[in-house]
Amino acid sequence: MKPVIEASINELFSSTATLLPTKMVITDMGCSSGPNALALVSAVVEAIHSPFLRVQRPRPEAFVFLNDHPDNNFNMVIKSLVTLRQSNEPAVVTGVAPGSFYERLFTSGSLHFACSTNSLHWLSKGLIDKAKFNSFYVPIHGPSNEEMKEIIQEEGSFSISEILPVDSELSTPSRFANQMRAVFEPVIVEHFGEVMDEFVRIAEQHWSLEGIFQDELGRLVMLSISLIKA
């Protein structure tokens, strides 16, 4: 994701008129509540500030919003945001925007950069109540590259700058299990209770068996998509 973010920020700066921005508003739509909560926005802040630091110019101020459903553990999210703000003072201020990103969350024209990440498949095997397991259902559709293009083009709000597959060679069973945690922790905890540590342990153990992780990656394609507001 980091190369796509850097390329998108560079394109944003190059498309700006003679003056570079002094303030930027960025958001992660559908953030995680665990250790990866800051992964995307930290990469965005770094990509925004790096060109200015190289030429010893004042960094633009960044207002960072993390968004997710209201039942997310925002206590953890807010603690993460405090860490981000303190490590970048005074150039970064932070906030949360609870709610579905299918609804309006921000004022018109207020965002400079929005990012969101998800995966197309997940696997859970754990010591959980059988009735809860049988009643757990998360409908997920993994669209193809062409389907994604059609959806974006038909909706009409954005044009596609770039679509790249995420390099699966960088994935490990541990990293993959924690990605699943980042995406699905609020849903799983709401249904099964505090089982995420066991979820990650068993998922990592399962994918560490010979051949299973390679087979899993062979059936998955994760895409990084860079969009420009139409």
Side-chain angles (χ1 to χ4, degrees):
M1 289 291 290
K2 189 172 181 180
V4 175
I5 289 173
E6 292 174 345
S8 299
I9 292 296
N10 290 335
E11 184 173 353
L12 176 64
F13 284 169
S14 65
S15 65
T16 306
T18 53
L19 295 177
L20 290 174
T22 58
K23 297 179 175 64
M24 294 190 69
V25 180
I26 63 180
T27 182
D28 180 357
M29 312 293 282
C31 69
S32 69
S33 59
N36 296 320
L38 296 181
L40 280 178
V41 292
S42 295
V44 175
V45 170
E46 182 181 351
I48 291 171
H49 286 167
S50 291
F52 292 84
L53 293 174
R54 283 197 296 267
V55 295
Q56 297 183 333
R57 292 182 57 181
R59 296 172 294 171
E61 296 176 328
F63 194 170
V64 177
F65 281 104
L66 292 185
N67 155 261
D68 203 6
H69 285 285
D71 56 358
N72 189 357
N73 184 355
F74 276 101
N75 289 330
M76 292 294 295
V77 170
I78 289 170
K79 289 178 181 178
S80 299
L81 285 172
V82 170
T83 301
L84 177 67
R85 177 178 55 80
Q86 290 176 342
S87 63
N88 288 276
E89 286 183 327
V92 172
V93 293
T94 57
V96 295
S100 169
F101 55 61
Y102 290 102
E103 301 170 353
R104 182 168 182 174
L105 296 170
F106 304 98
T107 56
S108 178
S110 61
L111 290 179
H112 296 87
F113 193 93
C115 53
S116 183
T117 184
N118 206 333
S119 60
L120 305 185
H121 185 67
W122 65 288
L123 178 65
S124 172
K125 293 183 179 183
L127 302 176
I128 56 179
D129 182 81
K130 185 176 180 180
K132 287 187 176 182
F133 177 80
N134 290 335
S135 64
F136 186 59
Y137 175 65
V138 180
I140 298 176
H141 171 64
S144 67
N145 193 330
E146 291 303 317
E147 284 180 301
M148 285 297 301
K149 290 180 181 179
E150 290 177 8
I151 291 169
I152 293 167
Q153 290 167 355
E154 288 177 4
E155 198 279 332
S157 297
F158 300 92
S159 61
I160 299 172
S161 172
E162 193 171 27
I163 298 181
L164 293 174
V166 176
D167 188 358
S168 62
E169 292 184 2
L170 300 177
S171 293
T172 64
S174 176
R175 181 176 295 177
F176 197 64
N178 280 289
Q179 286 174 341
M180 299 303 99
R181 180 174 196 159
V183 174
F184 293 105
E185 182 166 11
V187 178
I188 292 174
V189 169
E190 181 180 4
H191 190 81
F192 296 108
E194 296 296 334
V195 298
M196 288 310 302
D197 289 342
E198 186 73 359
F199 169 89
V200 171
R201 185 187 69 80
I202 293 176
E204 183 177 348
Q205 185 181 61
H206 172 74
W207 284 318
S208 296
L209 297 175
E210 185 177 355
I212 290 181
F213 187 59
Q214 289 72 22
D215 179 65
E216 187 76 16
L217 291 180
R219 296 187 292 108
L220 300 176
V221 177
M222 297 180 67
L223 300 174
S224 294
I225 306 175
S226 177
L227 302 175
I228 299 173
K229 187 176 179 181

